[in-house]
Amino acid sequence: MSENNRVKEFTEFRHRMNERILSQDNQVVRRFFALDNQTYKDGALPLKTKELLGLVASMVLRCDDCISYHIAQCKEAGVNRDEFFEAFSVALVVGGSIVIPHLRRGVDFLDQIEGEGIHSPVQEHSHE
Amino acid sequence: MSENNRVKEFTEFRHRMNERILSQDNQVVRRFFALDNQTYKDGALPLKTKELLGLVASMVLRCDDCISYHIAQCKEAGVNRDEFFEAFSVALVVGGSIVIPHLRRGVDFLDQIEGEGIHSPVQEHSHE
Amino acid sequence: MSENNRVKEFTEFRHRMNERILSQDNQVVRRFFALDNQTYKDGALPLKTKELLGLVASMVLRCDDCISYHIAQCKEAGVNRDEFFEAFSVALVVGGSIVIPHLRRGVDFLDQIEGEGIHSPVQEHSHE
Amino acid sequence: MSENNRVKEFTEFRHRMNERILSQDNQVVRRFFALDNQTYKDGALPLKTKELLGLVASMVLRCDDCISYHIAQCKEAGVNRDEFFEAFSVALVVGGSIVIPHLRRGVDFLDQIEGEGIHSPVQEHSHE
Amino acid sequence: MSENNRVKEFTEFRHRMNERILSQDNQVVRRFFALDNQTYKDGALPLKTKELLGLVASMVLRCDDCISYHIAQCKEAGVNRDEFFEAFSVALVVGGSIVIPHLRRGVDFLDQIEGEGIHSPVQEHSHE
Amino acid sequence: MSENNRVKEFTEFRHRMNERILSQDNQVVRRFFALDNQTYKDGALPLKTKELLGLVASMVLRCDDCISYHIAQCKEAGVNRDEFFEAFSVALVVGGSIVIPHLRRGVDFLDQIEGEGIHSPVQEHSHE
């Protein structure tokens, strides 16, 4: 399947499963999802910085879906290519070579959303 | 490929590779697999509780295959949907938002084994 | 310093720093602490099971303070020695030998709170 | 021993061991240390943002020494209390309650370097 | 798609993305990649031992791509099946049952490169 | 207290708690400890290589007690200073700067056991 479809499929799966999870009657889970949304709002630190923090945290913890999500959010927030790579370099040095495979997939994801000249494909879904 | 086939393929791969690994003449590896089986037997704590412990440990360590395996075992042991989500909520709060992508895949796996009205598809294979 | 003092000092530090953190005007942090409390309440799963889940999650993630906290909470909830060791065995097998140093410190902590014939020394503080 | 001495002892140990490590004839280790220094220099992203990235990465990976180091560097770079807590909140939500004990020790460290009205006690040592 | 194609696709993706990453003007990232290469050169410890160290580190950190890469490198360096399984046994005991799914995929990868009677499919690409 | 006493205290605590844990009637835990011992025996790979594997695994998983234990075992097995630092360099590059604080403490421990001209202080205790 094409790369474009892979991003779309990934986004749809996330969207569908988040709805499924939130439809369950579990208040702790729901509140956690709400809190996750609230975390990245503009505040003393601008949204852009917070998304970069979320991105680097996701990279050193090596979660591909979270990395894709925060790359899309960072792109929305105006992070440019040089800034992305400086954030990547922090993640690489702190987290080590074990981060490299995730860096490759992250750069590939970034290439896809940049190449397509579209807005973030996950912009309407707020949960990682 | 259909979801059903994906569960089947995953189970067959696990089964085949476990046999492959155990056919190798390495006593430490074999004993580890035997010990892994022994760990979840009924004891001072019931099997159901132990499987829930295995599930939450797998979630905070973020291992999709282990999560699928323990969800199937928990289902076998009679864990119901509310209990699953309370276990998920502990994993989410202890492990953080980085657990969310694994939660999505876990809930999807649970939906599949529940929706199909079948017994656990991995019931005959004891290693994670 | 005596073991008894070490438990006391640890408890006081946790209590003091939790107050310090919650006195700060950051709603996300405060809500996270509240959510953490809510997570272990009796529900579809009994409090005792949830505390065991928190304990095993803390062990595989190898956080000594969290392990001490959940051991004390489990003790309060009526977990006996055999049950503790079965929970430990799950953590050990899932998490590997890297868990052993934390197991040693956890058993030492359990010995202290049992030996002293006192209720959990951290019972009044709800955050890990 | 007093808190002040503890910070001093920690700084001296770090300084002494870094010298010891770099005196060894191992080029990979030396280059890694040099690269680590280079990572946080002003660039497309300002030093302050990079130090915040290093701080949050250290928190979700739960390394107390690294957290202390980056808190001191952030303080030097002008991060104020509200900004610190917003960075902490990202680490807490991404990394989960397992981060809480490290948050307590991090806030305690921040209190010490702020309370003493001194510049960062680790400012002259560049390795985490 | 056939197993053979999967190895090939994986190798091509790694090769392409490494080039993409190194074409970016970020000196820290480039130096990290160079340092990564330098790490496994023959020295006081032979290359074979270093690749085994890289393999076990990748297994306990549970990174499938890194495991595949180091298995291929170890194979090149002359590691035989018994030696592989002894290295696997260390990773399994240190890292716990959470390593098992990665062990399965690692053994599957080893089977593929051995079965095909070819030299390591990733021999020309030096980054994990 | 003196450095020498610190090593001694650490060794005694480990010895005492291992006995305490093994005195408990839990077969899974006992078997795990036995398996851990068996893992590092001479085999297809020499004991020295296996201890180096255990050391690097402990470093990237960042467990100070495990690092001290394996450094002592490696020293017993004849690992020299250059070899130690090459093993450290692999751990550092794979695991990242987050390993540095553990490297400092590991080198300090190595200095202590070398400086004192004694055999490994933990040689009689086989569990990490």
Side-chain angles (χ1 to χ4, degrees):
Chain A
M1 109 190 48
S2 78
E3 290 301 311
N4 193 14
N5 284 353
R6 195 144 47 182
V7 174
K8 195 157 157 257
E9 191 183 276
F10 161 65
T11 306
E12 283 171 0
F13 176 75
R14 183 164 48 199
H15 188 59
R16 178 163 57 83
M17 292 315 301
N18 283 352
E19 302 241 318
R20 184 91 183 98
I21 289 165
L22 295 172
S23 75
Q24 199 75 20
D25 183 26
N26 185 295
Q27 204 181 40
V28 172
V29 171
R30 285 177 180 175
R31 285 188 175 169
F32 191 95
F33 274 63
L35 194 58
D36 184 25
N37 271 345
Q38 190 185 349
T39 306
Y40 300 95
K41 301 285 185 224
D42 250 329
L45 292 174
L47 178 146
K48 178 180 158 182
T49 301
K50 286 179 164 180
E51 284 296 342
L52 284 168
L53 295 175
L55 173 57
V56 169
S58 300
M59 291 183 79
V60 298
L61 290 176
R62 300 186 289 119
C63 170
D64 284 325
D65 283 8
C66 310
I67 294 169
S68 297
Y69 174 78
H70 285 294
I71 283 178
Q73 296 299 108
C74 283
K75 185 76 193 161
E76 280 294 298
V79 173
N80 68 33
R81 196 113 188 151
D82 285 344
E83 291 169 327
F84 266 119
F85 268 76
E86 293 201 358
F88 294 161
S89 75
V90 173
L92 195 54
V93 168
V94 174
S97 69
I98 210 82
V99 170
I100 292 179
H102 305 274
L103 174 60
R104 276 195 291 261
R105 288 189 286 270
V107 171
D108 186 42
F109 186 85
L110 178 59
D111 282 351
Q112 286 175 45
I113 62 176
E114 288 199 330
E116 292 159 16
I118 55 169
H119 289 299
S120 156
V122 292
Q123 61 185 317
E124 67 251 270
H125 314 298
S126 38
H127 303 295
E128 287 161 64
Chain B
M1 114 191 43
S2 78
E3 290 301 310
N4 194 15
N5 283 355
R6 195 146 44 183
V7 174
K8 195 157 157 258
E9 189 184 277
F10 162 65
T11 306
E12 283 171 0
F13 177 75
R14 184 164 48 197
H15 188 59
R16 177 163 58 82
M17 292 315 300
N18 283 353
E19 302 240 317
R20 184 90 183 100
I21 289 165
L22 294 172
S23 74
Q24 199 75 23
D25 183 25
N26 186 294
Q27 204 181 43
V28 172
V29 171
R30 285 178 181 175
R31 284 190 177 167
F32 191 95
F33 273 63
L35 194 58
D36 184 25
N37 271 345
Q38 190 184 350
T39 306
Y40 300 94
K41 301 283 183 225
D42 250 327
L45 292 174
L47 178 146
K48 178 180 158 183
T49 301
K50 287 178 164 180
E51 285 295 343
L52 285 167
L53 294 175
L55 174 58
V56 169
S58 300
M59 292 184 79
V60 296
L61 291 175
R62 300 186 289 119
C63 170
D64 285 325
D65 283 8
C66 309
I67 293 170
S68 297
Y69 175 77
H70 285 294
I71 283 178
Q73 296 299 108
C74 283
K75 186 75 193 161
E76 280 296 297
V79 174
N80 67 34
R81 197 118 188 147
D82 285 344
E83 292 169 327
F84 267 118
F85 269 76
E86 293 201 357
F88 293 161
S89 75
V90 173
L92 195 55
V93 168
V94 174
S97 70
I98 210 82
V99 171
I100 292 178
H102 305 274
L103 174 61
R104 277 195 290 259
R105 289 189 286 269
V107 171
D108 186 43
F109 185 86
L110 178 59
D111 281 352
Q112 286 175 46
I113 63 176
E114 287 199 331
E116 292 158 17
I118 56 168
H119 288 298
S120 156
V122 292
Q123 62 184 315
E124 68 251 270
H125 314 298
S126 38
H127 303 295
E128 287 159 65
Chain C
M1 109 189 49
S2 79
E3 290 301 312
N4 194 15
N5 284 354
R6 195 144 46 182
V7 174
K8 196 158 157 255
E9 190 183 277
F10 162 64
T11 306
E12 283 171 0
F13 177 75
R14 183 163 49 198
H15 188 59
R16 178 162 58 83
M17 292 314 301
N18 283 352
E19 302 241 317
R20 184 91 182 98
I21 290 165
L22 295 172
S23 74
Q24 199 75 21
D25 182 26
N26 185 295
Q27 203 180 44
V28 172
V29 171
R30 285 178 181 175
R31 284 189 176 169
F32 191 94
F33 273 63
L35 194 58
D36 184 25
N37 271 345
Q38 190 185 350
T39 306
Y40 300 95
K41 301 283 185 226
D42 251 329
L45 292 174
L47 177 146
K48 178 181 158 181
T49 301
K50 286 178 164 180
E51 285 295 342
L52 284 168
L53 295 175
L55 173 58
V56 169
S58 299
M59 291 184 80
V60 299
L61 290 175
R62 301 186 290 118
C63 171
D64 285 323
D65 283 8
C66 310
I67 294 170
S68 297
Y69 174 77
H70 285 295
I71 283 178
Q73 296 299 108
C74 283
K75 185 75 194 161
E76 280 295 298
V79 174
N80 68 33
R81 196 113 189 153
D82 285 344
E83 292 169 327
F84 266 119
F85 268 76
E86 293 201 358
F88 293 161
S89 75
V90 173
L92 195 55
V93 168
V94 174
S97 69
I98 210 82
V99 171
I100 292 179
H102 305 274
L103 174 60
R104 276 195 290 262
R105 287 189 285 270
V107 171
D108 186 42
F109 186 85
L110 179 58
D111 282 352
Q112 286 174 45
I113 63 176
E114 287 199 331
E116 292 160 15
I118 55 170
H119 289 300
S120 156
V122 293
Q123 60 184 317
E124 68 251 273
H125 315 297
S126 38
H127 302 296
E128 286 160 66
Chain D
M1 113 191 44
S2 78
E3 289 303 310
N4 194 15
N5 284 354
R6 195 145 45 182
V7 174
K8 197 159 156 253
E9 190 183 275
F10 162 65
T11 306
E12 283 170 0
F13 177 74
R14 184 163 48 195
H15 188 59
R16 177 164 58 81
M17 292 314 301
N18 283 354
E19 301 240 318
R20 183 92 182 100
I21 289 165
L22 294 173
S23 74
Q24 199 74 23
D25 183 27
N26 186 294
Q27 204 180 44
V28 173
V29 171
R30 285 178 181 175
R31 284 188 177 168
F32 191 95
F33 274 63
L35 194 58
D36 184 25
N37 271 345
Q38 191 184 351
T39 307
Y40 300 95
K41 302 282 184 225
D42 250 327
L45 292 173
L47 178 146
K48 179 180 158 182
T49 301
K50 286 179 164 180
E51 285 295 342
L52 284 167
L53 295 175
L55 173 58
V56 168
S58 300
M59 291 184 79
V60 297
L61 290 176
R62 301 186 289 119
C63 171
D64 286 324
D65 283 9
C66 310
I67 293 169
S68 297
Y69 174 78
H70 285 294
I71 284 178
Q73 295 300 108
C74 283
K75 186 75 194 162
E76 280 294 299
V79 173
N80 68 34
R81 196 116 188 149
D82 284 345
E83 291 170 327
F84 267 118
F85 268 76
E86 293 201 359
F88 294 161
S89 76
V90 173
L92 195 55
V93 168
V94 174
S97 70
I98 209 83
V99 171
I100 292 178
H102 304 274
L103 174 60
R104 276 195 289 260
R105 287 189 287 269
V107 171
D108 186 43
F109 185 85
L110 178 59
D111 282 352
Q112 286 175 45
I113 63 176
E114 287 199 330
E116 292 159 15
I118 55 169
H119 288 299
S120 156
V122 292
Q123 61 185 314
E124 67 251 272
H125 314 297
S126 38
H127 302 296
E128 286 160 66
Chain E
M1 110 189 49
S2 79
E3 290 301 310
N4 194 15
N5 283 354
R6 194 143 46 179
V7 174
K8 195 156 156 257
E9 189 183 277
F10 162 64
T11 306
E12 284 171 0
F13 176 74
R14 182 162 51 195
H15 188 60
R16 177 163 58 82
M17 293 315 300
N18 283 352
E19 302 240 319
R20 183 91 182 99
I21 289 166
L22 295 172
S23 75
Q24 199 75 21
D25 183 25
N26 185 295
Q27 204 181 43
V28 172
V29 170
R30 284 176 179 176
R31 284 190 176 167
F32 191 95
F33 274 63
L35 193 59
D36 185 25
N37 272 344
Q38 190 184 350
T39 306
Y40 300 94
K41 301 285 184 222
D42 250 328
L45 292 174
L47 177 147
K48 178 180 157 181
T49 301
K50 286 179 166 180
E51 285 295 342
L52 284 168
L53 295 175
L55 173 57
V56 169
S58 299
M59 291 183 79
V60 298
L61 290 176
R62 300 186 289 117
C63 170
D64 284 326
D65 283 9
C66 309
I67 293 170
S68 298
Y69 174 78
H70 285 294
I71 283 178
Q73 296 299 109
C74 283
K75 185 75 192 160
E76 279 295 298
V79 174
N80 68 34
R81 196 117 188 147
D82 285 344
E83 292 169 327
F84 267 120
F85 269 76
E86 293 201 359
F88 294 162
S89 75
V90 173
L92 195 55
V93 167
V94 175
S97 69
I98 210 82
V99 171
I100 292 179
H102 305 274
L103 174 60
R104 277 195 290 259
R105 288 189 286 269
V107 171
D108 186 43
F109 186 86
L110 178 60
D111 282 352
Q112 287 175 45
I113 63 176
E114 287 198 330
E116 293 158 16
I118 56 168
H119 289 298
S120 155
V122 292
Q123 60 184 317
E124 67 251 271
H125 314 298
S126 38
H127 303 296
E128 287 160 65
Chain F
M1 110 189 50
S2 78
E3 289 301 309
N4 194 16
N5 284 354
R6 193 144 46 181
V7 174
K8 197 158 156 253
E9 190 183 277
F10 162 64
T11 306
E12 283 171 0
F13 177 74
R14 182 163 49 196
H15 188 59
R16 178 163 58 82
M17 291 316 299
N18 283 352
E19 301 241 318
R20 183 91 182 100
I21 289 166
L22 294 172
S23 74
Q24 199 75 21
D25 184 26
N26 186 294
Q27 204 180 44
V28 172
V29 171
R30 285 177 180 176
R31 284 189 176 169
F32 191 95
F33 273 64
L35 193 59
D36 184 25
N37 272 344
Q38 191 185 349
T39 306
Y40 300 94
K41 301 284 184 223
D42 251 328
L45 292 173
L47 177 147
K48 179 180 157 181
T49 301
K50 287 179 165 180
E51 284 295 342
L52 284 167
L53 295 175
L55 174 57
V56 169
S58 300
M59 291 183 79
V60 298
L61 290 176
R62 300 187 289 118
C63 170
D64 285 325
D65 283 8
C66 309
I67 293 170
S68 297
Y69 174 78
H70 285 294
I71 283 178
Q73 295 300 109
C74 283
K75 185 76 193 160
E76 280 294 298
V79 174
N80 68 33
R81 196 116 188 149
D82 284 345
E83 292 169 328
F84 266 119
F85 268 76
E86 292 201 358
F88 294 161
S89 76
V90 173
L92 195 55
V93 168
V94 174
S97 69
I98 209 83
V99 171
I100 292 179
H102 305 273
L103 174 60
R104 276 195 290 259
R105 288 189 287 268
V107 171
D108 185 43
F109 186 85
L110 178 59
D111 282 352
Q112 287 174 46
I113 63 176
E114 287 198 330
E116 292 159 17
I118 56 168
H119 289 299
S120 155
V122 291
Q123 62 184 316
E124 67 250 273
H125 314 298
S126 38
H127 302 297
E128 287 161 65

